[in-house]
Amino acid sequence: MANEKMWAGRFAKALDKEADDFNSSLHFDNRMYKQDIEGSMAHAAMLAATGIISAADAESIIAALGEILGDIQSGKLSLCGDGEDIHMFVEAELTRRIGDAGKRLHTARSRNDQVAVDVRLYLREEAQGIVSMLKGLIGVIAEQAEKNTETVMPGYTHLQRAQPIVFAHHLLAYAMMFMRDVDRIEDAVKRMNLSPLGSCALAGTTYPTDRAMEAKALGFDGITRNSIDGVSDRDFCVELLAAFATVMMHLSRFSEEIILWCSWEFKFVELDDSYTTGSSIMPQKKNPDIAELVRGKTGRVYGDLLAMLTVLKGLPLAYNKDMQEDKEAIFDAIDTVKQCLTVFPPMLAGMRVCKENMLAAAQKGFINATDLADYLTKKGLPFRTAYKISGQAVAYCIKEGKVLDSLTLEEYRGLCPQVDEGVYEAIDLYTCVTKRISAGGTGPDSVKAQLAFVKEFLEA
Ligand code: ARG
């Protein structure tokens, strides 16, 4: 039989062709070939060290696994075919190359602990890659922030102009979010980084294995404490998917703002031509497709998280084949996050900031009304009274087609006799921004401190 299963002994009939294709995960789990081989090498070394197999067998297993790895990497050995999964593929190839010694590799091991190891090793590496991509993005944010510490713009609530801020402050809000994303991923990796190898099918094994040795060889911080948990647990997938979904949520908010800022209604920024597209019919268009796609792809990653949670919901212990469905969800989420983190940082780095438009928008929205109220409060009025007068000033401006800065002293005195010349300085936009001296606010000292905090994070 061309594709005889390793477990064929118990069966009188081969698996139906359609069922076999349905059952096979090789076409997607083949991307874990390196982790599978590394796990097998560590296992073979442990089997020899504990005397479970001979040193000579382990040596030939490890050497052949190294050759298989090389052949896969060079393209000499193709990972497609009718194998059941990557674990069976590698083992079958090993046995084809070295015969009986290859058949000894699976002693004191099950595919259940094998796949649990492979997924953890794979996720650990990919998570580290995503962390460094996030740090790259945070670095780009910091660079743009550094160039815009004095760029005044309206800060918004309800998408209504609210209070003046500097653009650096707005950008640094995203830096803080992505820094927490890094923390979340690293935290999940820390919990995940325990070796389930040696859990075997679910109950452990009768062989005198050394799980700690395998764990150490594979860079784990220790071993999982319960063999049933070791093969059943996929909560590390859920945690990482949740962290990736949060990254996408942050990217989608940022994308949404960039899309708005690019519109003629705002024109706060202009994206570089190399990160925008044209229209097939409207010659004037310059569309922020890249930012839109990042926003759109967020839905996929949310879907991956929900798929994973749903696969695990109500699943009895220990391994069930449902769990094979973990991989496409995590792979898709990883691929999507990496794609987004490849295009988003350079798009942001090349974004031109239209400082004059930001300032013009800040001048038009009465966003210094709070500062007028604060000014009146400092003149001795209770804040609620000052707030009311400031509101009346805004209403008067709207009626007269003016802004707070262009009201005459007489007009101000008509609203409140305590107003003097100092009002113009108090409601000047630069004053408004620089006077926001509270920690974490938009004032220059705070923005400088935030930038230093971000840089410290990146250097650590
Ligand atoms: N391809 C399987 C998976 O990804 C490997 C584990 C199979 N174990 C089993 N008992 N059939 O889940």
Side-chain angles (χ1 to χ4, degrees):
M1 204 192 292
N3 177 27
E4 183 172 324
K5 303 291 183 203
M6 285 184 198
W7 37 258
R10 189 227 179 280
F11 293 82
K13 263 173 139 181
L15 185 58
D16 170 79
K17 171 80 181 83
E18 302 291 341
D20 194 15
D21 290 345
F22 182 69
N23 192 46
S24 170
S25 55
L26 182 61
H27 63 285
F28 56 83
D29 66 17
N30 58 11
R31 66 161 83 186
M32 302 192 302
Y33 69 86
K34 189 166 67 91
Q35 289 76 17
D36 195 72
I37 289 172
E38 281 168 5
S40 289
M41 285 175 162
H43 186 62
M46 182 282 289
L47 290 177
T50 50
I52 298 169
I53 65 172
S54 71
D57 278 346
E59 238 167 72
S60 75
I61 290 170
I62 291 167
L65 285 171
E67 282 161 22
I68 292 171
L69 180 61
D71 288 351
I72 293 171
Q73 280 164 341
S74 71
K76 215 165 120 191
L77 177 61
S78 158
L79 279 170
C80 28
D82 48 11
E84 192 171 329
D85 54 30
I86 187 61
H87 326 294
M88 291 300 213
F89 176 93
V90 171
E91 196 186 328
E93 182 62 23
L94 179 71
T95 302
R96 200 184 62 73
R97 292 187 185 201
I98 61 170
D100 276 353
K103 294 184 190 169
R104 296 209 163 90
L105 171 62
H106 211 54
T107 315
R109 188 177 73 169
S110 155
R111 257 187 308 160
N112 298 347
D113 56 348
Q114 195 179 353
V115 70
V117 168
D118 292 6
V119 173
R120 285 167 194 249
L121 291 177
Y122 181 82
L123 280 176
R124 189 175 70 192
E125 195 173 321
E126 292 293 339
Q128 278 156 359
I130 288 174
V131 160
S132 50
M133 293 178 101
L134 277 170
K135 287 185 176 168
L137 169 59
I138 296 164
V140 171
I141 295 173
E143 273 166 35
Q144 276 283 19
E146 208 137 35
K147 288 187 267 179
N148 288 286
T149 52
E150 288 172 10
T151 308
V152 174
M153 69 179 287
Y156 294 82
T157 64
H158 311 270
L159 209 55
Q160 300 285 319
R161 291 170 189 166
Q163 288 180 341
I165 55 171
V166 290
F167 189 43
H169 191 214
H170 194 101
L171 289 170
L172 287 165
Y174 283 109
M176 303 297 164
M177 297 178 211
F178 291 119
M179 282 158 64
R180 283 195 299 278
D181 288 335
V182 166
D183 275 354
R184 258 185 285 275
I185 294 170
E186 287 179 340
D187 188 52
V189 167
K190 213 187 308 159
R191 250 186 310 285
M192 172 180 75
N193 200 33
L194 296 173
S195 172
L197 198 55
S199 298
C200 302
L202 79 162
T205 179
T206 54
Y207 293 95
T209 53
D210 184 347
R211 291 188 58 200
M213 177 188 168
E214 291 176 321
K216 190 155 174 248
L218 294 170
F220 286 110
D221 296 324
I223 61 167
T224 56
R225 298 288 174 160
N226 177 304
S227 60
I228 299 174
D229 177 49
V231 291
S232 306
D233 159 39
R234 293 291 182 276
D235 54 15
F236 57 88
C237 295
V238 172
E239 281 195 68
L240 277 170
L241 281 168
F244 297 152
T246 309
V247 169
M248 292 304 299
M249 180 268 289
H250 289 148
L251 282 174
S252 78
R253 294 184 78 173
F254 206 166
S255 295
E256 168 67 9
E257 296 211 290
I258 290 172
I259 293 161
L260 282 173
W261 294 339
C262 284
S263 70
W264 281 106
E265 282 65 25
F266 279 82
K267 261 297 161 247
F268 283 1
V269 301
E270 192 171 342
L271 292 176
D272 193 72
D273 283 0
S274 55
Y275 285 87
T276 49
T277 64
S279 156
S280 60
I281 174 167
M282 296 165 282
Q284 84 285 8
K285 290 293 285 294
K286 181 172 169 181
N287 297 328
D289 286 31
I290 306 305
E292 290 170 63
L293 268 174
V294 170
R295 185 178 61 183
K297 284 178 187 292
T298 303
R300 295 174 69 114
V301 179
Y302 288 7
D304 294 327
L305 169 62
L306 207 65
M308 188 73 244
L309 282 167
T310 311
V311 163
L312 295 175
K313 179 185 177 295
L315 203 63
L317 304 183
Y319 178 85
N320 301 269
K321 194 68 174 225
D322 313 46
M323 291 159 80
Q324 183 164 282
E325 289 292 312
D326 59 357
K327 278 166 235 44
E328 283 168 297
I330 56 176
F331 295 165
D332 183 70
I334 285 168
D335 292 348
T336 307
V337 170
K338 281 165 70 180
Q339 277 177 2
C340 294
L341 287 175
T342 302
V343 290
F344 195 93
M347 177 186 75
L348 183 66
M351 184 178 84
R352 197 176 67 78
V353 180
C354 311
K355 300 184 181 186
E356 43 329 311
N357 294 346
M358 287 187 172
L359 180 62
Q363 281 161 340
K364 272 185 249 150
F366 304 107
I367 62 178
N368 42 4
T370 313
D371 300 87
L372 175 61
D374 285 344
Y375 164 81
L376 296 174
T377 307
K378 281 168 195 159
K379 288 277 167 208
L381 276 70
F383 179 76
R384 276 294 160 226
T385 311
Y387 171 94
K388 191 171 168 194
I389 293 169
S390 182
Q392 286 163 344
V394 170
Y396 177 82
C397 285
I398 292 169
K399 196 168 103 225
E400 299 295 316
K402 292 188 144 195
V403 292
L404 292 174
D405 313 65
S406 63
L407 290 183
T408 64
L409 205 50
E410 286 65 48
E411 286 172 312
Y412 268 123
R413 291 221 168 109
L415 290 160
C416 174
Q418 282 96 325
V419 176
D420 62 21
E421 279 291 341
V423 69
Y424 298 106
E425 159 72 8
I427 63 168
D428 176 83
L429 287 180
Y430 289 102
T431 313
C432 299
V433 164
T434 48
K435 287 243 172 92
R436 290 282 188 298
I437 51 163
S438 57
T442 204
D445 287 348
S446 159
V447 169
K448 213 193 279 170
Q450 292 175 52
L451 261 170
F453 181 70
V454 171
K455 282 187 192 157
E456 221 172 274
F457 176 89
L458 291 178
E459 278 156 23

